[in-house]
Amino acid sequence: MTAAWRPAPGPVVCLGETMAALAPDPPRPLTEAGQLRLSVAGAESNVAMYLADHGVPAHWLSAVGDDPLGRRVRAAVAAAGVNVTRVRTDPHRPTGLLLKNPGPAGTGVHYYRAGSAASALGPDLLDGEPVRSAALLHLTGITPALSASCRALVTRALDTPAAERPYAVSFDVNHRAALWPDGTAPTVLRALADRADIVFVGLDEAQQLWGADLTVTGLRDLLPGPRILVVKDGARAATALTGEGACTVPALRTAVVEPVGAGDAFAAGFLAGLLRAEPLHRALRLGHLTAVSALGVTGDHGPLPETTDIARLLELPEPDWQRYRVPSGSWSIKAME
């Protein structure tokens, strides 16, 4: 029997824009906020930070402005253990900015990233280090929406057939409707995703893009190209589909402080599992565990459980995994003993 495909172990390069982020503190609608808290926000750097937390060598590759916000962004990502030495500083363009607007229906996001330093990135970014030495290149569907040059960058990264690429490519669809006003998102994102080795997509996200009646099986028919297609079904479960079949693991039950960043955390946990050559069910569990770390904080990056707790949670029998609920403010697993 042929062994299941896994990316080769080694460093991961996460390529994409990270912005300075302002959010009301305490959380409330912007129209009522008395003060704002400054942090950083970026899907790809979130993945890099959680990979670093899991002990996977991770690089963040991007550009920031030659401004205080850019220095703040670079320092925050570096503080999480991510290599940022190849991040460009653009003297002519600013660092992108977003505003979070919490409300009863969830948190809305307002972008101020048109003409940002990262929007000027292009295909030449793939020609040198750290991409040349990467085992895995992680991209998202956010980047091709930023500019024509950014779309050319992602397209070039995926143009080479998978068997001929020197590194594997993972792609999180990460549809941001506000960045696609021309209505091209469904066609562009489907074409890009189908060329990647590993794809992450939410079932509700896929239904919004490609059809309200789409099922997990139908999604695999729509995207036959990826070696591994991971479909996330919200707080219910995640399914990994490969040439060997489907593997589904229920999500952990937990109190949600804010859902922003949980998808990035899940992707990082799953990728860390693959890079360790874990079986799919354990990689999916590691994705869920990492997602809970993001769900429990107001920012995008929360603390992981202790290594020993992760190991014990990965070993739980299936019935115990399904019953387990993460205690509020604690990762203790004593309740399962």
Side-chain angles (χ1 to χ4, degrees), residues 309 312-313 316 324-325 327 330-337:
D309 282 346
R312 295 172 73 181
L313 284 161
L316 282 178
Y324 182 65
R325 181 180 179 87
S330 171
W331 269 107
S332 170
I333 65 171
K334 291 182 179 178
M336 294 306 306
E337 295 176 346

Side-chain angles (χ1 to χ4, degrees), residues 242-271:
T242 70
E244 290 75 43
C247 176
T248 299
V249 172
L252 286 171
R253 295 175 298 156
T254 187
V256 177
V257 174
E258 187 179 85
V260 177
D264 306 325
F266 179 94
F270 182 81
L271 292 174

